[in-house]
Every structure is written in C-alpha cells, then in structure tokens.
Amino acid sequence: MTNSLPRFGASGDPAISRRRFLIAGGITVAGLAVVAINPFDSGDSNYFSPTLSGAGPFPDPTKHTFDVVIKSGRVMDPETGFDEIADVGIDGATITGISAPSSGESSLRGRSIIDARGLVVAPGFIDILSYAPNPYGIWFKVADGVTTNLGLHGIQSRAADFFSTYGSSAQRPPTHYGGAFSNPWTRSQLGLGVDDASSTKQIDALVATCDEDLRKGYVAVDFEPEYTPGVRYDEIKALAEVAKNHNVPATFHARYSDDMSPGTNAEALAEVLQIAQETKAQVHVEHIISTGGTFTMAQSL
C-alpha cells in the first residue's frame, strides 16, 4: 500500500520516496498513540523538524533500543491511510519510529514492550460534545478510545475555576480536557431567567465574561436557545463576535427541535447560518438530529 509514514527498511533507512517525514506524537495514559506528520523537502540531510524543539533524526532500529515499543498492533492513521500490523517505537513522550515486520521491515526492540496483538493503535478519539469530566463516566470514554474530552455543551463554571478544579491531583482526569463558555449558565449568574431578554448592560457583561473565559482557556462559546427562549439575536451575535475574535467556534443547541409552526427546523438553522454569515464565526450545530433536523434531516442538510 502507498502511505507517507516514516517506516524503516531492512537496512534501517527510512523507506520513504521523495519526501522525508518526522513522526511526533505523545502516548496518553489511555495507552493510545497520537501521531502528527510533518513533510520535509527531499534535500534535507536529516529529519529535524523546525516546529518541534529538540526533535532529532530517526534512530536506526537495527542498533537502537526504544524506551517503549507497542508491538504487533493494527496501526491506523486516518490522515495518511496507513493501516498495517506494525511496531510503534517511543522515546520519552515522542513516537520515533514505526515498522511493519510483516512487510520485511525491521522489528523494533524496546526496554518495555506493550503487546498490542489483536488491538488497534491509533490517534485518540476526541469527544467534542461532552460535559465536564466525572470520575465515573470518563473511564468509559477511555475504554472507547477517547483521549480528549471537550465540554462543548457548555461548562457551568468560570474557566479559571474549571481548570483549577480539574488541574488538581485529586480531580485530574485520565484524558485531555477542555470546555466551552456557557451562555445559559452565565445568563443565570446575571439573574436572567430562561424567558428573560437581556439588557444592553447585561449583554456587555456577558461579552466581558466570555472574552475573559476564552483568554483563560475555553475553546468555544455554547448557545442553547431552545432551553433559553428569551435569548435574543443581538445577544447571540455579540457573543459570536467574541468567538470570532478568538478564532473558536460557536456551538449551538438550536432554537427549535421539530418542523411544526411556530418555530421550525428551517428557522432554527437559518438563525445559526445568519450568525455565521454576519459575524464570520465558525458555527457547529450540536446533534442536528435533535435540533434543526428532527424528522427533516434530508431537507435540513
């Protein structure tokens, strides 16, 4: 098969034509390899990546003993289409070699061996529509191959508090994690009920809070107008502009979840798309089968 992963031939030289590649990745506590690939001009004399501090040339697998080798798993990389039974060599926190002995390449040696026969070794899955990690459910995600849990359904706390809580040794989850600014929760902190429209002063307060939380590490702005029917277009637009300024998406549990007037799926999607058009923010419709596409998926798409 044709692929672009840096693999080792019998001589130890990377079996790559025209371009050289560096694999740079990490091993999570879930035991999954995360692979990133950077192409280099064929005239380069080594495999050094200018974007990765301290990255060096690939070791010769006939002479090198890796810190860890994940052995004989089905190694899959969706980006390149690589899909073979192979060994993955890791030094420190970096993947430094992949070799497929069944294709005549060198078997990798390691100080520690993880037997992955019958298992898939792949970049970890990212759950983008989740909530804050909890000590029970997060382990089911790990079992499913999830290595990043993103609460883009909105986190019911300020960003500083969220990262302080889950950054502590007592609460730190076994995955990467992140969250979104929650418009419904923040409205409630200003004393707004679900049916209440916000004043200009309250919109200014929402914008300031959102801006600070994105600066503190939140990665999206969450809206749920079906659950907060009082939220008006001007409030959503003001916060979507903050999302655009921070280059993060605006995520929507849209305003309507059926195709019966008043309030149809088409109207729900029209509001989201108008926000995207006017603010140039990226938008993501959460579970379109539930809002914006219920019973009308083909037409909505």
Side-chain angles (χ1 to χ4, degrees), residues 29-86:
V29 292
L32 297 175
V34 180
V35 180
I37 302 161
N38 294 307
F40 292 88
D41 185 86
S42 58
D44 289 348
S45 60
N46 57 35
Y47 307 113
F48 180 78
S49 167
T51 62
L52 295 171
S53 175
F58 290 125
D60 181 343
T62 64
K63 302 176 182 178
H64 181 70
T65 299
F66 295 86
D67 290 342
V68 178
V69 170
I70 302 176
K71 205 163 195 61
S72 303
R74 181 180 177 182
V75 179
M76 303 176 69
D77 177 34
E79 184 177 4
T80 63
F82 185 93
D83 183 1
E84 293 190 38
I85 302 299

Side-chain angles (χ1 to χ4, degrees), residues 56-271:
F58 290 125
D60 181 343
T62 64
K63 302 176 182 178
H64 181 70
T65 299
F66 295 86
D67 290 342
V68 178
V69 170
I70 302 176
K71 205 163 195 61
S72 303
R74 181 180 177 182
V75 179
M76 303 176 69
D77 177 34
E79 184 177 4
T80 63
F82 185 93
D83 183 1
E84 293 190 38
I85 302 299
D87 298 344
V88 178
I90 301 126
D91 288 308
T94 302
I95 297 172
T96 51
I98 293 179
S99 182
S102 61
S103 299
E105 299 171 356
S106 304
S107 180
L108 304 187
R109 299 189 305 271
R111 296 179 182 86
S112 177
I113 301 294
I114 298 174
D115 185 354
R117 286 176 296 180
L119 303 176
V120 171
V121 182
F125 299 128
I126 301 172
D127 184 350
I128 66 170
L129 188 60
S130 188
Y131 299 88
N134 69 74
Y136 182 74
I138 196 67
W139 287 102
F140 285 94
K141 292 180 184 288
V142 170
D144 285 338
V146 172
T147 57
T148 300
N149 181 85
L150 296 179
L152 299 195
H153 229 320
I155 299 297
Q156 296 189 7
S157 70
R158 296 297 305 275
D161 295 333
F162 173 75
F163 290 111
S164 175
T165 297
Y166 292 103
S168 68
S169 58
Q171 294 286 335
R172 185 177 295 116
T175 62
H176 303 296
Y177 59 94
F181 168 87
S182 170
N183 174 242
W185 181 81
T186 310
R187 294 178 97 252
S188 72
Q189 301 306 293
L190 295 177
L192 288 164
V194 295
D195 294 315
D196 294 337
S198 54
S199 66
T200 300
K201 184 177 180 179
Q202 288 169 326
I203 291 176
D204 289 343
L206 288 165
V207 165
T209 302
C210 181
D211 181 75
E212 181 179 347
D213 278 356
L214 293 180
R215 292 180 188 278
K216 293 289 186 180
Y218 278 162
V219 294
V221 178
D222 173 64
F223 300 97
E224 301 177 23
E226 184 175 35
Y227 299 144
T228 53
V231 64
R232 296 184 310 202
Y233 186 85
D234 57 344
E235 178 182 326
I236 296 173
K237 181 179 178 181
L239 290 168
E241 288 172 344
V242 180
K244 171 62 171 64
N245 291 339
H246 285 270
N247 195 30
V248 301
T251 61
F252 285 85
H253 178 109
R255 194 175 292 274
Y256 307 117
S257 58
D258 59 43
D259 207 38
M260 299 176 63
S261 297
T264 65
N265 288 328
E267 292 173 46
L269 293 177
E271 180 178 47

